Protein backbone atom coordinates (compact mmCIF):
# COMPACT_ATOMS: atom_id res chain seq x y z
CA UNK A 1 0.00 0.00 0.00
CA UNK A 2 1.22 3.49 -0.83
CA UNK A 3 1.73 5.83 2.10
CA UNK A 4 1.99 9.57 1.66
CA UNK A 5 5.35 11.16 2.38
CA UNK A 6 5.27 12.48 5.94
CA UNK A 7 6.66 15.81 7.00
CA UNK A 8 9.43 15.26 9.56
CA UNK A 9 7.97 15.50 13.03
CA UNK A 10 9.36 16.15 16.45
CA UNK A 11 8.27 14.98 19.87
CA UNK A 12 9.37 16.98 22.88
CA UNK A 13 10.79 15.35 25.96
CA UNK A 14 9.13 16.10 29.29
CA UNK A 15 10.13 15.25 32.83
CA UNK A 16 8.80 12.45 35.01
CA UNK A 17 6.53 14.71 37.09
CA UNK A 18 4.95 16.22 33.97
CA UNK A 19 4.56 12.76 32.46
CA UNK A 20 2.76 11.38 35.53
CA UNK A 21 0.56 14.46 35.74
CA UNK A 22 -0.43 14.44 32.08
CA UNK A 23 -1.06 10.68 32.19
CA UNK A 24 -3.38 11.24 35.16
CA UNK A 25 -5.13 14.04 33.26
CA UNK A 26 -5.53 11.89 30.13
CA UNK A 27 -6.81 8.98 32.21
CA UNK A 28 -9.45 11.27 33.72
CA UNK A 29 -10.65 12.20 30.23
CA UNK A 30 -10.74 8.60 28.87
CA UNK A 31 -10.19 6.20 31.80
CA UNK A 32 -8.47 2.86 31.42
CA UNK A 33 -7.26 0.08 33.61
CA UNK A 34 -4.05 0.23 35.61
CA UNK A 35 -0.97 -0.85 33.69
CA UNK A 36 0.51 -2.51 36.81
CA UNK A 37 -0.76 -2.81 40.41
CA UNK A 38 1.08 0.27 41.74
CA UNK A 39 0.24 2.55 38.79
CA UNK A 40 -0.49 5.96 40.35
CA UNK A 41 -1.30 7.93 37.20
CA UNK A 42 -4.07 5.57 36.08
CA UNK A 43 -6.99 5.54 38.50
CA UNK A 44 -8.16 2.14 37.28
CA UNK A 45 -11.87 3.00 37.18
CA UNK A 46 -12.41 1.30 33.82
CA UNK A 47 -11.49 -1.92 32.09
CA UNK A 48 -9.46 -2.05 28.91
CA UNK A 49 -7.22 0.63 27.54
CA UNK A 50 -7.96 4.32 27.89
CA UNK A 51 -6.30 7.48 26.63
CA UNK A 52 -2.91 6.66 28.11
CA UNK A 53 -2.54 3.21 26.54
CA UNK A 54 -3.91 4.72 23.33
CA UNK A 55 -0.86 7.01 23.18
CA UNK A 56 -2.10 10.29 24.66
CA UNK A 57 1.39 11.29 25.77
CA UNK A 58 2.83 10.58 22.32
CA UNK A 59 0.14 12.74 20.77
CA UNK A 60 0.57 15.57 23.28
CA UNK A 61 4.36 15.58 22.84
CA UNK A 62 4.04 15.75 19.02
CA UNK A 63 4.88 19.15 17.55
CA UNK A 64 1.82 18.99 15.28
CA UNK A 65 -0.42 19.69 18.28
CA UNK A 66 0.99 23.15 18.87
CA UNK A 67 0.91 22.64 22.65
CA UNK A 68 3.98 20.41 22.81
CA UNK A 69 6.33 23.12 24.09
CA UNK A 70 3.92 24.13 26.86
CA UNK A 71 3.34 20.69 28.39
CA UNK A 72 5.64 21.20 31.38
CA UNK A 73 3.84 24.48 32.12
CA UNK A 74 0.38 22.88 31.78
CA UNK A 75 1.40 20.06 34.10
CA UNK A 76 2.72 22.55 36.65
CA UNK A 77 -0.43 24.63 36.39
CA UNK A 78 -2.82 21.71 36.87
CA UNK A 79 -0.73 20.64 39.87
CA UNK A 80 -1.10 24.13 41.36
CA UNK A 81 -4.87 23.92 40.83
CA UNK A 82 -4.90 20.45 42.40
CA UNK A 83 -3.11 21.71 45.51
CA UNK A 84 -5.60 24.59 45.88
CA UNK A 85 -8.52 22.20 45.27
CA UNK A 86 -7.20 19.78 47.91
CA UNK A 87 -6.72 22.57 50.46
CA UNK A 88 -10.30 23.82 49.93
CA UNK A 89 -11.67 20.26 50.20
CA UNK A 90 -9.58 19.49 53.30
CA UNK A 91 -7.70 16.68 51.54
CA UNK A 92 -4.20 15.61 52.52
CA UNK A 93 -2.23 14.75 49.40
CA UNK A 94 0.53 12.15 49.16
CA UNK A 95 3.73 14.15 48.61
CA UNK A 96 5.39 11.23 46.78
CA UNK A 97 3.52 12.09 43.58
CA UNK A 98 2.44 15.36 41.94
CA UNK A 99 -0.71 16.90 43.47
CA UNK A 100 -3.01 16.10 40.54
CA UNK A 101 -1.84 12.47 40.57
CA UNK A 102 -2.46 12.30 44.34
CA UNK A 103 -6.14 13.22 43.88
CA UNK A 104 -8.66 10.39 43.70
CA UNK A 105 -10.50 9.90 40.44
CA UNK A 106 -13.69 11.69 41.51
CA UNK A 107 -11.67 14.69 42.67
CA UNK A 108 -9.71 14.72 39.40
CA UNK A 109 -13.02 14.82 37.53
CA UNK A 110 -14.38 17.60 39.74
CA UNK A 111 -11.25 19.69 39.19
CA UNK A 112 -11.33 19.24 35.41
CA UNK A 113 -15.02 20.20 35.41
CA UNK A 114 -14.02 23.42 37.21
CA UNK A 115 -11.15 24.13 34.83
CA UNK A 116 -13.25 23.57 31.70
CA UNK A 117 -16.30 25.49 32.93
CA UNK A 118 -17.62 28.46 31.02
CA UNK A 119 -16.02 31.57 32.43
CA UNK A 120 -12.86 29.94 33.78
CA UNK A 121 -9.99 32.16 32.59
CA UNK A 122 -7.89 29.15 31.53
CA UNK A 123 -10.74 27.16 30.01
CA UNK A 124 -9.26 27.15 26.49
CA UNK A 125 -6.06 25.44 27.68
CA UNK A 126 -7.88 22.67 29.53
CA UNK A 127 -10.45 22.05 26.81
CA UNK A 128 -7.67 21.80 24.23
CA UNK A 129 -5.67 19.41 26.42
CA UNK A 130 -8.82 17.32 26.97
CA UNK A 131 -9.58 17.19 23.25
CA UNK A 132 -6.10 15.91 22.43
CA UNK A 133 -6.40 13.23 25.13
CA UNK A 134 -9.68 12.13 23.61
CA UNK A 135 -8.22 12.29 20.08
CA UNK A 136 -5.51 9.80 21.03
CA UNK A 137 -8.24 7.30 21.94
CA UNK A 138 -10.81 7.86 19.21
CA UNK A 139 -8.65 8.52 16.17
CA UNK A 140 -5.03 7.56 16.95
CA UNK A 141 -4.06 10.77 15.14
CA UNK A 142 -0.42 10.37 16.12
CA UNK A 143 0.16 7.07 14.28
CA UNK A 144 -0.75 5.62 10.90
CA UNK A 145 -4.09 3.83 11.15
CA UNK A 146 -2.61 0.56 9.83
CA UNK A 147 0.07 0.63 12.51
CA UNK A 148 -2.43 1.47 15.25
CA UNK A 149 -4.70 -1.40 14.24
CA UNK A 150 -1.79 -3.85 13.98
CA UNK A 151 -0.77 -2.89 17.53
CA UNK A 152 -4.31 -3.41 18.83
CA UNK A 153 -5.00 0.27 19.55
CA UNK A 154 -7.61 0.28 22.37
CA UNK A 155 -9.76 3.10 21.02
CA UNK A 156 -9.93 2.02 17.40
CA UNK A 157 -10.55 -1.56 18.51
CA UNK A 158 -13.33 -0.48 20.88
CA UNK A 159 -15.00 1.41 18.04
CA UNK A 160 -14.87 -1.63 15.79
CA UNK A 161 -12.47 -0.20 13.22
CA UNK A 162 -11.17 -3.09 11.16
CA UNK A 163 -8.13 -3.52 8.97
CA UNK A 164 -8.40 -2.44 5.33
CA UNK A 165 -8.95 -4.88 2.49
CA UNK A 166 -5.91 -6.54 0.91
CA UNK A 167 -5.47 -3.60 -1.49
CA UNK A 168 -5.18 -1.16 1.43
CA UNK A 169 -8.62 0.41 0.97
CA UNK A 170 -11.36 0.41 3.59
CA UNK A 171 -14.78 -0.68 2.39
CA UNK A 172 -18.02 -1.22 4.21
CA UNK A 173 -19.46 -4.69 3.74
CA UNK A 174 -22.89 -3.44 4.71
CA UNK A 175 -24.35 -0.08 3.77
CA UNK A 176 -24.67 2.26 6.76
CA UNK A 177 -28.40 2.77 6.24
CA UNK A 178 -29.10 -0.95 5.90
CA UNK A 179 -29.42 -0.63 2.15
CA UNK A 180 -27.35 0.62 -0.74
CA UNK A 181 -28.35 4.20 -1.49
CA UNK A 182 -27.09 4.39 -5.07
CA UNK A 183 -25.39 2.35 -7.74
CA UNK A 184 -21.79 3.12 -8.59
CA UNK A 185 -21.45 5.47 -11.55
CA UNK A 186 -20.23 3.47 -14.55
CA UNK A 187 -17.19 5.72 -15.03
CA UNK A 188 -15.91 5.24 -11.46
CA UNK A 189 -12.29 4.13 -11.42
CA UNK A 190 -11.03 1.10 -9.47
CA UNK A 191 -9.80 3.43 -6.72
CA UNK A 192 -13.31 4.82 -6.28
CA UNK A 193 -12.63 8.15 -7.93
CA UNK A 194 -14.93 9.68 -10.52
CA UNK A 195 -13.50 9.41 -14.02
Amino acid sequence: MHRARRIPERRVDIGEEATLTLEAYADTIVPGEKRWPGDRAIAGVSTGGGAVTSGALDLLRWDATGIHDGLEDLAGLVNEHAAVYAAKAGLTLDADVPPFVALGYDDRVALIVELTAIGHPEKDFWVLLSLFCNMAFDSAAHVHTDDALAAGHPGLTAMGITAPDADGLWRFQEAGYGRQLADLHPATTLSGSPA
Side-chain angles (χ1 to χ4, degrees):
M1 175 172 85
H2 174 72
R3 287 190 183 191
R5 185 180 65 81
R6 304 253 341 210
I7 296 171
E9 52 193 50
R10 177 176 71 91
R11 284 194 168 71
V12 298
D13 291 324
I14 58 175
E16 184 179 343
E17 185 169 306
T19 297
L20 277 173
T21 301
L22 294 171
E23 285 180 341
Y25 192 99
D27 179 66
T28 308
I29 301 304
V30 182
E33 62 189 37
K34 288 185 177 287
R35 297 167 288 186
W36 60 86
D39 192 351
R40 294 293 302 269
I42 308 300
V45 298
S46 184
T47 58
V52 175
T53 55
S54 294
L57 266 288
D58 286 337
L59 178 62
L60 292 171
R61 293 175 40 242
W62 185 20
D63 64 354
T65 64
I67 65 168
H68 59 291
D69 285 331
L71 292 177
E72 293 273 358
D73 293 335
L74 285 172
L77 194 54
V78 80
N79 280 320
E80 289 174 22
H81 285 298
V84 170
Y85 174 91
K88 284 183 187 175
L91 302 173
T92 303
L93 298 179
D94 180 352
D96 290 340
V97 293
F100 188 80
V101 178
L103 291 175
Y105 178 76
D106 290 338
D107 291 311
R108 291 177 184 180
V109 170
L111 178 55
I112 290 176
V113 167
E114 271 182 37
L115 297 175
T116 58
I118 294 172
H120 192 284
E122 300 164 5
K123 175 186 173 219
D124 292 348
F125 298 130
W126 306 117
V127 168
L128 189 62
L129 186 62
S130 300
L131 287 171
F132 282 126
C133 293
N134 197 64
M135 186 185 294
F137 182 81
D138 68 12
S139 68
H142 56 296
V143 290
H144 193 284
T145 305
D146 286 341
D147 297 337
L149 288 170
H153 185 276
L156 298 183
T157 302
M159 290 187 294
I161 307 296
T162 59
D165 292 341
D167 61 1
L169 298 177
W170 273 270
R171 293 180 183 83
F172 295 99
Q173 301 306 317
E174 295 179 25
Y177 289 97
R179 62 187 174 89
Q180 185 172 334
L181 298 179
D183 292 327
L184 266 158
H185 188 277
T188 304
T189 66
L190 290 175
S191 70
S193 300

